[in-house]
Amino acid sequence: MATATAHNDATYTTGRRVSTETKASFKTTEMIAYVVVAIGVLTASAVVDSEDFGAQDAWFLVTLLTIGYMISRGLAKSGSRDFYDDVTKHDHR
């Protein structure tokens, strides 16, 4: 006679090691730096005289920052993995 031991009426299967491509973008320092610098550039354009550094110049710099951020995220995604354990709980009730 075989006896099965149940732990709180749930059966756990063996977890497997899986990965995402990278961690979420809002968790990276690149995102924080991008947001801070973009806000700084737009604030500077609002504070200084528009003849020296106007809105058009500011938005051009923010566009360049965006391109740089997108390239850095692409490079980060191409070479790293974020691993986690996939533990599945099957409840047989």
Side-chain angles (χ1 to χ4, degrees):
M1 180 166 124
T3 355
T5 306
H7 186 51
N8 293 337
D9 293 338
T11 304
Y12 291 88
T13 61
T14 306
R16 59 188 176 126
R17 190 80 169 152
V18 292
S19 70
T20 60
E21 196 164 336
T22 57
K23 65 174 139 177
S25 64
F26 62 88
K27 293 181 180 179
T28 63
T29 55
E30 293 113 353
M31 178 66 168
I32 296 167
Y34 168 73
V35 170
V36 168
V37 172
I39 290 172
V41 167
L42 294 173
T43 303
S45 75
V47 172
V48 251
D49 189 16
S50 64
E51 292 176 8
D52 297 329
F53 183 65
Q56 187 173 359
D57 297 327
W59 282 108
F60 178 71
L61 289 176
V62 169
T63 301
L64 292 178
L65 285 168
T66 303
I67 292 168
Y69 175 73
M70 292 169 69
I71 290 171
S72 75
R73 285 302 297 159
L75 291 173
K77 285 184 171 213
S78 69
S80 65
R81 301 271 184 234
D82 188 21
F83 294 101
Y84 63 95
D85 291 324
D86 183 26
V87 180
T88 310
K89 177 182 173 184
H90 298 288
D91 212 359
H92 297 290
R93 290 183 193 197

